[in-house]
């Protein structure tokens, strides 16, 4: 079945759409892959985080430094920031109308997510290395 | 509008804006999925801040610790728990839909209620059990 076409304007050619939006199938696929990875990681993380957020620094550091915890944390953080960017991208594509503003917004989103992932993952690695 | 290219962008319809819908369980839960996702994304930055403070040293960690143990920090953590469990449960509902299962309207209503129940159950479990 063919999807209904938009009578007001021809659909843009792939090169005409914002470059970020090319590869919708790939986006869809990675959103699901990261979602499935996040199912067990999120359940673990919420319970663990609520247990440790009030810890004194030494105790929290000792918790993060355990190899299993550090590994799960890194997996969770990577999947979290990746999935978060993919989701925010879809929301921006739905509600930011001009191609130029969309491009700027998506670059800003990318930068914020990359920075967040860098700080979070870098901090875990730094604790492990200590 | 000077060019066809520009017109193609400006006249393409956006997703329906929220206020044109009569709220229904299905649409409200769908919007909540997005809203909770945005809140989790913002919280991820706070989480990065906590980890950064933890790795950074005592003075920074004192601030982070003080924030998350204050009533406001606890309230944020509670909302984060609700949003995360909701997004998790409703995300699983979406994955089941992706498999082509449970798409009948009556089933969608039922699974929506199960999601809300599971969200509350998991949140209570995480905070008070």
């Amino acid at each position: 079945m063919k999807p209904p076409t938009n009578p007001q304007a021809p659909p843009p050619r792939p090169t005409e759409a914002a470059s970020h939006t090319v590869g919708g199938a790939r986006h869809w696929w990675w959103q699901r892959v990261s979602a499935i990875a996040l199912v067990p990681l999120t359940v673990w993380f919420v319970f663990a985080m609520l247990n440790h957020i009030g810890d004194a620094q030494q105790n929290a550091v000792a918790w993060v430094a355990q190899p299993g915890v550090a590994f799960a944390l890194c997996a969770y953080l990577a999947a979290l920031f990746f999935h978060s960017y993919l989701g925010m991208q879809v929301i921006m594509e739905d509600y930011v109308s001009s191609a130029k503003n969309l491009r700027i917004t998506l670059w800003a989103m990318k930068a914020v997510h990359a920075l967040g992932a860098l700080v979070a993952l870098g901090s875990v690695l730094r604790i492990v290395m200590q | 509008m000077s060019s066809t290219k520009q017109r193609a962008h400006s006249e393409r319809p956006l997703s329906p804006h929220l206020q044109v819908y009569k709220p229904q369980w299905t649409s409200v839960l769908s919007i909540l999925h997005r809203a909770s996702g945005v809140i989790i994304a913002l919280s991820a930055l706070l989480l990065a801040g906590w980890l950064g403070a933890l790795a950074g040293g005592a003075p920074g960690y004192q601030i982070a610790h003080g924030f998350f143990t204050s009533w406001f920090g606890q309230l944020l953590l509670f909302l984060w728990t609700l949003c995360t469990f909701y997004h998790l449960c409703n995300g699983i509902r979406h994955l089941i839909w992706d498999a082509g299962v449970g798409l009948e309207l009556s089933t969608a209503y039922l699974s929506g209620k199960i999601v809300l129940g599971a969200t509350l159950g998991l949140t209570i479990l995480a905070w008070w059990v």
Side-chain angles (χ1 to χ4, degrees):
Chain A
M1 200 173 72
K2 277 184 117 177
T5 48
N6 171 7
Q8 293 178 326
R13 290 190 304 277
T15 46
E16 216 174 83
S19 61
H20 305 263
T21 63
V22 172
R26 223 173 47 168
H27 180 287
W28 188 93
W29 180 248
W30 280 109
Q31 196 172 34
R32 267 76 191 165
V33 170
S34 52
I36 291 167
L38 278 166
V39 171
L41 289 169
T42 301
V43 175
W44 166 76
F45 181 77
V46 173
F47 283 92
M49 199 61 213
L50 291 176
N51 267 331
H52 290 284
I53 191 101
D55 278 1
Q57 191 174 16
Q58 286 164 311
N59 299 344
V61 165
W63 172 63
V64 173
Q66 293 168 324
V69 173
F71 182 78
L73 260 182
C74 287
Y76 173 74
L77 291 168
L80 172 72
F81 280 102
F82 182 49
H83 189 81
S84 172
Y85 174 75
L86 293 177
M88 294 303 287
Q89 182 187 342
V90 176
I91 295 176
M92 295 309 144
E93 284 167 359
D94 276 352
Y95 291 106
V96 178
S97 55
S98 96
K100 189 186 169 206
N101 287 349
L102 180 61
R103 208 156 43 234
I104 295 168
T105 313
L106 289 181
W107 275 117
M109 282 288 160
K110 243 179 213 169
V112 170
H113 280 83
L115 189 70
L118 202 70
V119 169
L121 285 165
S123 302
V124 173
L125 291 180
R126 203 174 150 193
I127 290 168
V128 172
M129 304 287 195
Q130 271 168 5
Chain B
M1 284 307 129
S2 52
S3 73
T4 337
K5 189 177 165 182
Q6 257 181 320
R7 195 160 50 236
H9 279 302
S10 61
E11 287 181 10
R12 293 190 76 216
L14 297 174
S15 285
H17 281 250
L18 304 184
Q19 66 275 16
V20 304
Y21 269 127
K22 174 176 173 248
Q24 305 153 78
W25 272 104
T26 39
S27 67
V28 169
L29 293 189
S30 169
I31 291 156
L32 280 179
H33 194 69
R34 283 202 157 178
S36 59
V38 171
I39 291 171
I40 297 163
L42 291 171
S43 310
L45 297 176
L46 280 183
L47 170 65
W50 183 79
L51 283 166
L54 183 62
Y61 189 74
Q62 280 306 316
I63 296 169
H65 186 264
F67 176 74
F68 283 110
T69 49
S70 71
W71 70 266
F72 183 67
Q74 290 287 304
L75 182 67
L76 282 187
L77 273 175
F78 183 75
L79 289 176
W80 169 78
T81 312
L82 265 180
C83 288
T84 303
F85 281 140
Y86 175 74
H87 201 87
L88 174 73
C89 295
N90 202 51
I92 292 171
R93 183 168 169 241
H94 267 283
L95 288 171
I96 294 169
W97 282 337
D98 289 340
V101 178
L103 291 163
E104 301 76 21
L105 196 56
S106 57
T107 320
Y109 274 88
L110 176 66
S111 60
K113 283 170 188 161
I114 293 172
V115 162
L116 287 180
T119 303
L120 287 179
L122 283 166
T123 304
I124 290 167
L125 196 65
W127 276 77
W128 291 292
V129 179

